[in-house]
Amino acid sequence: MVSGTDDKNTPAVVSLAAGGVAGGIEAFTSYPLEFAKTRVQLRSQKGIPTPKNPFLVVTQVYQKEGIRALYKGCAALVVGSIAKDGVRFLFFDQIKLAFADPETGTLSPLRNLAAGMTAGVVASVTAVTPTERIKTALIDDARNEKRFRSGLHATTVIWKEHGIFGLYRGFAGTTLKQASATAFRMGTYNILKDFEKTRNIEQNTLTNFANGSVAGVVTTLATQPFDVIKTRSQSAQGASTLEAIKTVLLDYGVRGFWRGTTMRLGRTVFSGGILFTSYEAAVKVINPLYSGVVHKVGAEAA
């Protein structure tokens, strides 16, 4: 990714650290909308229909269960986002360096998407699937059995009952979502930045936020079906990918695969801006610190 400093060679450790910081900030600030979106995508309880308006969902939960309920599962998502975004920024930046044009430092749109897709697959395997499983199970459990006391307790129970495969419920749907979402989100963002570079458009907080928001819109519309399937697969009871697809079709038909789009759009427009703005800012802070440490160590070694 082209950083806000236009440094084509952002060190791997800086990409990893800045991505982790950005992921944690983005996950925490936008979590209530993520909570509402997940509630809508889960199967409705008999006689208790779930509103489609995200703000109504948030308001109802707040009135009935308090502010803490809106952050049920948040810790799992924040931890997962730190790892996920650290990994995917790291891999995206390194892939971009490998395939970028040596003169301009840019990638073709197709290679931008391919770099994002690769980063998304790696992130899903290493961090996203298990943390998303815990987050979704906690949100689902909170409206039913309420047997999970915390993210750690939920992890322990699921592990005991289903083993490691229980933590990877919905792996196919999550990986499809992550591969496509990261391809569209990071690919779109980088395409916009490369375009702006050729037009000498200044890169600042406003342009970073705008680019991230546009990337969020594109990502949501293109990948919503994978997100719905993932949520159904990772409910408290869990389900296979095929079972998740079947229940969505039975409940809502084909349109059901875009259930929660409005809520996710509200989150991704906001979170996309926050994520990339935070990343660019973190790179500007961490890169000089890292360079200073490397220079000091090198000087002492000499």
Side-chain angles (χ1 to χ4, degrees), residues 1-3 5-12 14-15 93-94 97 287 290:
M1 177 149 318
V2 182
S3 72
T5 58
D6 289 328
D7 183 1
K8 299 175 185 176
N9 300 298
T10 303
V14 175
S15 295
D93 280 350
Q94 298 310 305
L97 285 175
N287 209 6
Y290 174 76

Side-chain angles (χ1 to χ4, degrees), residues 69-169:
L70 289 174
Y71 278 86
K72 189 79 171 179
C74 180
L77 184 66
V78 168
V79 170
S81 293
I82 291 172
K84 171 190 70 177
D85 287 307
V87 167
R88 67 181 183 179
F89 272 102
L90 167 64
F91 273 84
F92 186 84
D93 280 350
Q94 298 310 305
I95 293 168
K96 183 182 186 304
L97 285 175
F99 293 100
D101 184 295
E103 294 184 2
T104 65
T106 62
L107 285 174
S108 68
L110 186 59
R111 287 189 176 185
N112 267 311
L113 294 176
M117 185 175 294
T118 304
V121 171
V122 174
S124 178
V125 174
T126 57
V128 181
T129 300
T131 53
E132 282 283 329
R133 164 69 161 130
I134 297 305
K135 177 214 73 176
T136 305
L138 282 166
I139 292 174
D140 189 25
D141 178 73
R143 59 178 197 153
N144 293 304
E145 299 179 39
K146 295 182 173 61
R147 63 176 183 146
F148 297 148
R149 295 191 297 272
S150 65
L152 181 60
H153 181 244
T155 303
T156 303
V157 171
I158 292 172
W159 180 280
K160 286 181 178 179
E161 293 180 352
H162 305 288
I164 191 170
F165 293 107
L167 296 174
Y168 275 84
R169 282 277 193 178

Side-chain angles (χ1 to χ4, degrees), residues 4-294:
T5 58
D6 289 328
D7 183 1
K8 299 175 185 176
N9 300 298
T10 303
V13 68
V14 175
S15 295
L16 181 66
V21 170
I25 292 172
E26 178 268 333
F28 183 80
T29 54
S30 64
Y31 191 76
L33 286 173
E34 172 68 16
F35 176 93
K37 182 265 307 180
T38 302
R39 274 276 179 102
V40 166
Q41 290 176 339
L42 290 164
R43 300 200 82 172
S44 298
Q45 297 169 281
K46 291 184 178 179
I48 311 177
T50 304
K52 293 183 179 181
N53 186 317
F55 299 104
L56 185 56
V57 173
V58 170
T59 301
Q60 287 185 353
V61 172
Y62 172 74
Q63 290 176 341
K64 294 179 181 178
E65 305 172 51
I67 187 68
R68 291 184 62 183
L70 289 174
Y71 278 86
K72 189 79 171 179
C74 180
L77 184 66
V78 168
V79 170
S81 293
I82 291 172
K84 171 190 70 177
D85 287 307
V87 167
R88 67 181 183 179
F89 272 102
L90 167 64
F91 273 84
F92 186 84
D93 280 350
Q94 298 310 305
I95 293 168
K96 183 182 186 304
L97 285 175
F99 293 100
D101 184 295
E103 294 184 2
T104 65
T106 62
L107 285 174
S108 68
L110 186 59
R111 287 189 176 185
N112 267 311
L113 294 176
M117 185 175 294
T118 304
V121 171
V122 174
S124 178
V125 174
T126 57
V128 181
T129 300
T131 53
E132 282 283 329
R133 164 69 161 130
I134 297 305
K135 177 214 73 176
T136 305
L138 282 166
I139 292 174
D140 189 25
D141 178 73
R143 59 178 197 153
N144 293 304
E145 299 179 39
K146 295 182 173 61
R147 63 176 183 146
F148 297 148
R149 295 191 297 272
S150 65
L152 181 60
H153 181 244
T155 303
T156 303
V157 171
I158 292 172
W159 180 280
K160 286 181 178 179
E161 293 180 352
H162 305 288
I164 191 170
F165 293 107
L167 296 174
Y168 275 84
R169 282 277 193 178
F171 174 72
T174 303
T175 302
L176 285 170
K177 179 208 168 186
Q178 282 302 310
S180 56
T182 307
F184 282 106
R185 174 174 273 197
M186 302 189 110
T188 299
Y189 181 82
N190 210 62
I191 288 168
L192 290 171
K193 284 188 72 81
D194 285 344
F195 174 79
E196 289 163 358
K197 281 177 61 180
T198 63
R199 298 296 189 277
N200 294 318
I201 297 174
E202 181 184 358
Q203 297 302 298
N204 53 37
T205 300
L206 183 60
T207 55
N208 291 336
F209 194 95
N211 290 344
S213 296
V214 171
V217 172
V218 173
T219 300
T220 300
L221 296 178
T223 65
Q224 187 64 16
F226 298 134
D227 191 61
V228 174
I229 293 167
K230 174 197 72 67
T231 298
R232 286 293 181 94
S233 297
Q234 295 180 329
S235 62
Q237 297 302 316
S240 69
T241 299
L242 289 177
E243 288 172 339
I245 293 172
K246 182 180 178 181
T247 60
V248 173
L249 289 172
L250 286 173
D251 290 347
Y252 307 110
V254 175
R255 293 178 62 184
F257 290 109
W258 275 268
R259 193 167 176 82
T261 297
T262 302
M263 297 185 189
R264 191 167 169 231
L265 269 175
R267 177 178 181 266
T268 53
V269 169
F270 173 67
S271 68
I274 290 292
L275 177 68
F276 288 105
T277 302
S278 299
Y279 175 78
E280 304 285 6
V283 167
K284 288 181 179 179
V285 173
I286 297 171
N287 209 6
L289 295 175
Y290 174 76
S291 298
V293 170
V294 172

